[in-house]
Amino acid sequence: MKFISTRVGSATGKTSVSFREAVFSGLAPNGGLYVPMEQPDLSERIVAFSRQTSFQELSASVMGALIGEELSREAVLRVCEQAFSFEPVIKRLDDTLSLLELFHGPTCAFKDFGASFLASIMEEFLRQESRRTVVLVATSGDTGSAVARAFHGKQSIKVVILYPSGRVSALQEQQLTTLGGNVSALEIQGSFDDCQRLVKQAFVDARLSQSLSLSSANSINLGRLLPQALYYFYGYLQLERKDNERLMFCVPSGNFGNLTAGVYAWLWGMPVEGFIAATNVNDVVPEYLKTGEFRPRPSLKTISNAMDVGHPSNFERLVVVFGGSAKRMRKCIKGVRITDQETLQTMHRVYQDSGILLDPHTAVGVLAARKYRRDSRFGGQILCLATAHPGKFVDIVQKATGVTPELPATLKEALAKEKRATLLKPNLKQLEAFLLDRFL
Ligand SMILES: *Cc1c(COP(=O)(O)O)cnc(C)c1O
């Protein structure tokens, strides 16, 4: 499999790269995102799987089909076994709606799947080449912890997390600053934008790039995106349903990486009807599906804040898949927008009806699925991705249901540990000095 930039128009846009190159460069040189140049047909593999196939086995088989030219069977299996010490869990909500819980990993959110795979495959590539790298990550709180946990303990990789001082929650700060070992936390005296700017500047800084190998681990990295297709295949296989009963996935969406990965699974032969793109009031994609016009804008703050994205970066990947046609995208993806009030009501109702606590992101998905089912009279099964553990959003869950959810054990552990971070002013000189001093 080869990969090209979404922006094929420019001079460098037509050069294809390997998976390895895409993983280490993150972004294409012309600023576009990497996408598969051709779509493999995995239908035969899918037919060969059964409900007994484990998530690791399925992952090794699918990833083998995608990147088998670059890594041996054994290496792919090793990467998947290392990456996935956790797996998705299906929970039924009603006759035709189920949850695909993706929050049983180390930081209790679906981003653990992509981050874990990226960390394991980078380690594998680096070990083969006897190389080392420093991964720089700017975070506003949540993504950084998934990345930090995933890379913790990797031999060939040092991780430096930049987070804005005083602007992440206490729990998030503990998760970022207590790992130690190969993970260093930089507490930046500035905003999240300052952190992002510093990381970008570091990548183009001549002195740094001459002396250190720097890598990124953004959510747009193919090494995080492709493995997200795996749990769609798994959910498709594991959900109990009648022969020939139709199936749709519902995906709570912000930057649209998760949904894009599902669309890839579909392109590669997973026989599902389509996808429901559930958003909060940051609804540029549902609006595009309705009007054919893409109007990115500043994001609005909501209670499902991991989905507060006003300019979803993976939209350009979806545009490539559907050849720029809103009409074709509309056939596969249905947009539904949910307000905060509806989200709280849904959390309340689901708890009353079934005793299940939902986090606010998953609640957006659940209500979107139910609205779509009602309005379209779709009679098949819907599998809604549950993207985070309710225990990560104690205050909102409490407000909606009156119940205090238990904090997952792995997060409790972080709270008990001692914080270690280096305080830094938001300027490149200081970051440069820190990196050269530590890693040269
Ligand atoms: C990141 C995130 C989302 C949105 O996923 P995208 O891939 O950005 O669309 C949804 N829910 C939770 C809990 C998240 O952390």
Side-chain angles (χ1 to χ4, degrees):
M1 209 172 178
K2 289 280 181 192
F3 303 89
I4 50 169
S5 170
T6 44
R7 304 186 190 166
V8 285
S10 75
T12 52
K14 287 194 181 59
T15 321
S16 70
V17 300
S18 64
F19 186 63
R20 180 189 308 240
E21 286 171 274
V23 160
F24 284 104
S25 48
L27 216 60
N30 68 2
L33 311 189
Y34 283 118
V35 291
M37 203 158 124
E38 283 161 354
Q39 309 302 337
D41 182 0
L42 303 183
S43 3
E44 277 178 29
R45 270 177 210 251
I46 299 169
V47 175
F49 294 141
S50 74
R51 295 198 54 212
Q52 273 68 51
T53 311
S54 73
F55 182 68
Q56 287 180 353
E57 259 178 274
L58 176 146
S59 301
S61 172
V62 170
M63 290 314 296
L66 303 179
I67 59 170
E69 288 162 22
E70 293 178 57
L71 278 182
S72 70
R73 249 180 119 90
E74 295 72 40
V76 174
L77 186 62
R78 188 161 56 230
V79 167
C80 290
E81 281 178 346
Q82 268 205 0
F84 305 129
S85 57
F86 48 94
E87 56 181 40
V89 173
I90 292 180
K91 203 171 267 173
R92 202 165 268 280
L93 278 186
D94 63 36
D95 283 351
T96 57
L97 178 59
S98 304
L99 297 175
L100 181 64
E101 292 182 351
L102 302 174
F103 53 70
H104 299 284
T107 70
C108 309
F110 83 88
K111 291 189 178 75
D112 286 329
F113 283 89
S116 281
F117 184 85
L118 177 68
S120 295
I121 197 136
M122 269 195 176
E123 173 86 342
E124 179 70 33
F125 283 141
L126 290 164
R127 223 187 30 213
Q128 286 182 6
E129 299 167 20
S130 308
R131 276 205 304 134
R132 292 176 171 273
T133 194
V134 178
V135 170
L136 283 187
V137 192
T139 184
S140 55
D142 222 35
T143 355
S145 59
V147 171
R149 268 301 280 266
F151 281 88
H152 186 227
K154 299 287 181 226
Q155 304 281 322
S156 324
I157 305 168
K158 306 282 186 205
V159 183
V160 179
I161 309 269
L162 289 80
Y163 72 93
S165 180
R167 304 199 197 186
V168 302
S169 76
L171 176 62
Q172 286 170 340
E173 183 163 31
Q174 284 298 113
Q175 286 185 276
L176 294 171
T177 58
T178 57
L179 286 167
N182 63 332
V183 178
S184 319
L186 292 182
E187 180 175 355
I188 304 294
Q189 294 172 304
S191 64
F192 169 58
D193 291 332
D194 289 321
C195 298
Q196 254 186 330
R197 175 179 50 78
L198 280 172
V199 168
K200 281 187 186 153
Q201 287 175 343
F203 278 107
V204 296
D205 182 69
R207 247 189 100 200
L208 282 176
S209 53
Q210 269 164 25
S211 22
L212 294 174
S213 148
L214 294 180
S215 308
S216 67
N218 301 331
S219 66
I220 48 97
N221 192 302
L222 266 185
R224 281 178 65 176
L225 187 74
L226 293 193
Q228 291 185 245
L230 300 171
Y231 45 71
Y232 287 90
F233 288 113
Y234 189 73
Y236 162 81
L237 284 163
Q238 292 291 331
L239 181 68
E240 266 184 77
R241 62 199 156 109
K242 299 182 205 91
D243 284 346
N244 296 323
E245 196 175 10
R246 293 147 75 203
L247 173 63
M248 283 184 87
F249 281 96
C250 179
V251 189
S253 296
N255 217 8
F256 279 77
N258 220 356
L259 189 104
T260 303
V263 169
Y264 283 141
W266 168 75
L267 281 178
W268 302 336
M270 178 181 67
V272 295
E273 194 93 359
F275 300 85
I276 300 159
T279 69
N280 57 32
V281 292
N282 294 286
D283 63 340
V284 284
V285 174
E287 185 185 275
Y288 168 82
L289 290 164
K290 201 187 279 172
T291 65
E293 255 182 87
F294 184 61
R295 289 197 306 125
R297 45 188 176 257
S299 64
L300 302 168
K301 208 169 147 51
T302 75
I303 56 169
S304 46
N305 64 347
M307 293 162 33
D308 293 349
V309 182
H311 190 165
S313 19
N314 286 290
F315 184 72
E316 52 184 278
R317 285 189 165 119
L318 290 172
V319 167
V320 171
V321 169
F322 296 101
S325 156
K327 198 171 144 208
R328 282 167 57 192
M329 197 186 294
R330 209 174 275 144
K331 276 200 185 136
C332 176
I333 305 174
K334 319 292 175 185
V336 182
R337 165 196 197 263
I338 303 295
T339 65
D340 273 357
Q341 203 193 350
E342 290 174 311
T343 306
L344 289 169
Q345 280 166 359
T346 305
M347 292 167 74
H348 179 77
R349 189 157 308 153
V350 168
Y351 180 67
Q352 293 287 307
D353 292 350
S354 61
I356 294 176
L357 293 175
L358 300 178
D359 91 279
H361 307 82
T362 306
V364 167
V366 166
L367 185 59
R370 288 186 163 156
K371 276 194 171 178
Y372 178 76
R373 183 169 67 178
R374 185 192 65 208
D375 298 343
S376 70
R377 310 229 177 91
F378 174 72
Q381 293 289 333
I382 302 179
L383 195 46
C384 177
L385 274 49
T387 51
H389 191 290
K392 293 188 86 165
F393 301 91
V394 179
D395 297 347
I396 301 166
V397 172
Q398 210 163 29
K399 182 174 166 197
T401 66
V403 175
T404 310
E406 176 116 23
L407 202 61
T410 68
L411 302 186
K412 260 191 214 156
E413 266 168 42
L415 276 181
K417 290 188 188 157
E418 193 194 339
K419 167 183 163 178
R420 284 221 189 107
T422 306
L423 201 61
L424 227 58
K425 293 220 159 47
N427 77 57
L428 183 63
K429 276 273 158 298
Q430 290 225 354
L431 177 61
E432 197 187 82
F434 175 87
L435 293 173
L436 293 174
D437 176 56
R438 259 316 147 91
F439 303 122
L440 197 60

Tab-separated table of all heavy atoms in Angstrom, residues 110-111 252-258 306-307 361 387-388, ligand 1:
chain	number	residue	atom	x	y	z
A	110	PHE	N	-11.277	6.257	23.268
A	110	PHE	CA	-10.964	5.497	22.057
A	110	PHE	C	-9.607	5.855	21.480
A	110	PHE	O	-9.011	5.081	20.739
A	110	PHE	CB	-12.070	5.699	21.004
A	110	PHE	CG	-11.924	6.944	20.193
A	110	PHE	CD1	-11.175	6.948	19.030
A	110	PHE	CD2	-12.530	8.131	20.602
A	110	PHE	CE1	-11.037	8.102	18.279
A	110	PHE	CE2	-12.400	9.280	19.864
A	110	PHE	CZ	-11.640	9.272	18.700
A	111	LYS	N	-9.068	7.025	21.830
A	111	LYS	CA	-7.787	7.442	21.259
A	111	LYS	C	-6.650	6.509	21.683
A	111	LYS	O	-5.595	6.500	21.065
A	111	LYS	CB	-7.484	8.892	21.624
A	111	LYS	CG	-8.437	9.843	20.910
A	111	LYS	CD	-8.054	11.308	21.053
A	111	LYS	CE	-9.005	12.190	20.272
A	111	LYS	NZ	-10.323	12.349	20.942
A	252	PRO	N	-19.793	9.542	17.162
A	252	PRO	CA	-19.683	10.893	17.745
A	252	PRO	C	-18.413	11.554	17.206
A	252	PRO	O	-17.328	11.030	17.406
A	252	PRO	CB	-19.553	10.629	19.254
A	252	PRO	CG	-19.972	9.204	19.462
A	252	PRO	CD	-19.682	8.488	18.187
A	253	SER	N	-18.552	12.698	16.521
A	253	SER	CA	-17.433	13.201	15.728
A	253	SER	C	-17.034	14.631	16.051
A	253	SER	O	-17.874	15.469	16.385
A	253	SER	CB	-17.791	13.118	14.238
A	253	SER	OG	-17.968	11.774	13.852
A	254	GLY	N	-15.728	14.890	15.933
A	254	GLY	CA	-15.206	16.233	16.129
A	254	GLY	C	-14.258	16.574	14.993
A	254	GLY	O	-14.568	17.353	14.094
A	255	ASN	N	-13.086	15.930	15.021
A	255	ASN	CA	-12.121	16.133	13.962
A	255	ASN	C	-12.318	15.132	12.818
A	255	ASN	O	-11.619	15.153	11.825
A	255	ASN	CB	-10.710	16.001	14.541
A	255	ASN	CG	-9.746	16.967	13.917
A	255	ASN	OD1	-10.138	17.850	13.155
A	255	ASN	ND2	-8.474	16.793	14.199
A	256	PHE	N	-13.241	14.217	12.987
A	256	PHE	CA	-13.673	13.245	11.978
A	256	PHE	C	-12.649	12.174	11.610
A	256	PHE	O	-12.761	11.539	10.570
A	256	PHE	CB	-14.217	13.959	10.724
A	256	PHE	CG	-15.631	14.406	10.916
A	256	PHE	CD1	-15.912	15.535	11.676
A	256	PHE	CD2	-16.689	13.675	10.407
A	256	PHE	CE1	-17.228	15.925	11.926
A	256	PHE	CE2	-18.013	14.056	10.647
A	256	PHE	CZ	-18.272	15.186	11.401
A	257	GLY	N	-11.659	11.940	12.493
A	257	GLY	CA	-10.730	10.834	12.263
A	257	GLY	C	-11.429	9.499	12.436
A	257	GLY	O	-11.308	8.594	11.600
A	258	ASN	N	-12.191	9.388	13.504
A	258	ASN	CA	-12.883	8.145	13.786
A	258	ASN	C	-13.817	7.760	12.641
A	258	ASN	O	-13.813	6.627	12.167
A	258	ASN	CB	-13.678	8.328	15.083
A	258	ASN	CG	-13.624	7.104	15.967
A	258	ASN	OD1	-13.061	6.076	15.593
A	258	ASN	ND2	-14.208	7.205	17.130
A	306	ALA	N	-14.457	17.319	23.542
A	306	ALA	CA	-13.495	16.705	22.613
A	306	ALA	C	-14.031	16.769	21.176
A	306	ALA	O	-13.324	16.440	20.227
A	306	ALA	CB	-13.202	15.271	23.008
A	307	MET	N	-15.281	17.174	21.035
A	307	MET	CA	-15.870	17.306	19.701
A	307	MET	C	-16.098	18.767	19.313
A	307	MET	O	-16.791	19.060	18.344
A	307	MET	CB	-17.203	16.540	19.642
A	307	MET	CG	-16.972	15.053	19.764
A	307	MET	SD	-18.381	14.011	20.215
A	307	MET	CE	-19.767	14.801	19.488
A	361	HIS	N	-20.012	12.592	25.171
A	361	HIS	CA	-19.733	12.368	23.742
A	361	HIS	C	-20.552	11.199	23.211
A	361	HIS	O	-21.177	11.274	22.152
A	361	HIS	CB	-18.243	12.113	23.528
A	361	HIS	CG	-17.379	13.181	24.112
A	361	HIS	ND1	-17.040	13.193	25.437
A	361	HIS	CD2	-16.819	14.278	23.565
A	361	HIS	CE1	-16.309	14.259	25.693
A	361	HIS	NE2	-16.150	14.940	24.562
A	387	THR	N	-17.171	6.553	23.030
A	387	THR	CA	-15.803	7.040	22.856
A	387	THR	C	-15.042	7.300	24.148
A	387	THR	O	-13.827	7.399	24.122
A	387	THR	CB	-15.794	8.319	21.989
A	387	THR	OG1	-16.734	9.246	22.535
A	387	THR	CG2	-16.178	8.007	20.557
A	388	ALA	N	-15.740	7.458	25.277
A	388	ALA	CA	-15.021	7.685	26.535
A	388	ALA	C	-15.768	7.083	27.710
A	388	ALA	O	-16.996	6.919	27.673
A	388	ALA	CB	-14.806	9.179	26.770
B	1	LIG	C1	-11.457	12.843	20.150
B	1	LIG	C2	-12.799	12.453	20.677
B	1	LIG	C3	-13.957	12.441	19.870
B	1	LIG	C4	-13.947	12.904	18.436
B	1	LIG	O1	-13.253	12.026	17.582
B	1	LIG	P1	-12.758	12.544	16.146
B	1	LIG	O2	-11.968	11.430	15.601
B	1	LIG	O3	-11.955	13.774	16.407
B	1	LIG	O4	-13.981	12.838	15.357
B	1	LIG	C5	-15.143	11.993	20.415
B	1	LIG	N1	-15.230	11.612	21.709
B	1	LIG	C6	-14.153	11.622	22.522
B	1	LIG	C7	-14.313	11.203	23.937
B	1	LIG	C8	-12.909	12.049	22.044
B	1	LIG	O5	-11.854	12.069	22.869
